[in-house]
Amino acid sequence: MNKTIQLQDLGNKDYKETWEYQEDLFTGIVDLKIRNRREELELETPNYFLFVEHPPVYTLGKSGDVDNLLLSEKQLEAKGATFYKINRGGDITYHGPGQIVGYPILDLENFFTDIHKYLRFLEEAIILTLQEYGIECGRSEGETGVWLGVGTPFARKICAMGVRASRWVTMHGFALNVNVDLGYFDNIIPCGIRGKAVTSLNVELGVEKVDEAEVKAKILKHFANLFEATFEKS
């Protein structure tokens, strides 16, 4: 089992280009697994972890409702935002500047074959990271992601998640609001959940800007511990 994960920070990159890149990496792992099975080989499958920040974009998961986007095509253009229907789970979400997006493209057979556990570990890596900033957060039953104020009238989401998996290979991932312009979330019903707010780490800490490189380092530390993995820059 290969527990080394190749880390790539793509910087600010167009959503569609990144999606296509993810698909290429994902397909490469799946094809290698098929070849191993067909030819009775034991070639090592790679794992990847992509960090990226996207220009403003709204994405709708395969089970989502397009009515949760509250903008017309012209209004999207006016805001300099784009919209894509994509092949992950979940409903609608927003990606944009000031948000740390992580796409783990893993062969879970290198770690464990349990999608539920995988999602919980993604959440836990974010929860542990936020706790280092003194932020009390956790899970909301039936709602994937990381929340603050669960069970109160002030419940608010700080990290959205949605994944795709096939043959135990994952893609898509999480989006953690760190220094985000929360006004963009007013144009959607986030994750299709009415009546609950969205927040960002800088807002919760009462500061203008949080060091995103520091947040990334903390996420990687907790991710590596949970998955018993090592990261290698590529």
Side-chain angles (χ1 to χ4, degrees), residues 47 93 115 207:
N47 307 291
T93 195
I115 293 296
V207 300

Side-chain angles (χ1 to χ4, degrees), residues 139-152:
R139 300 173 178 86
S140 181
E141 191 174 343
E143 299 169 335
T144 301
V146 178
W147 296 76
L148 281 68
V150 176
T152 76

Side-chain angles (χ1 to χ4, degrees), residues 111-129:
F111 303 94
F112 48 77
T113 50
D114 185 331
I115 293 296
H116 179 80
K117 181 178 178 180
Y118 173 66
L119 285 167
R120 301 296 78 80
F121 271 19
L122 286 188
E123 290 167 343
E124 190 67 13
I126 301 301
I127 289 168
L128 292 170
T129 295

Side-chain angles (χ1 to χ4, degrees), residues 147-157 195-197 204:
W147 296 76
L148 281 68
V150 176
T152 76
F154 308 105
R156 53 215 185 274
K157 195 171 199 175
K196 289 190 179 177
E204 295 297 326

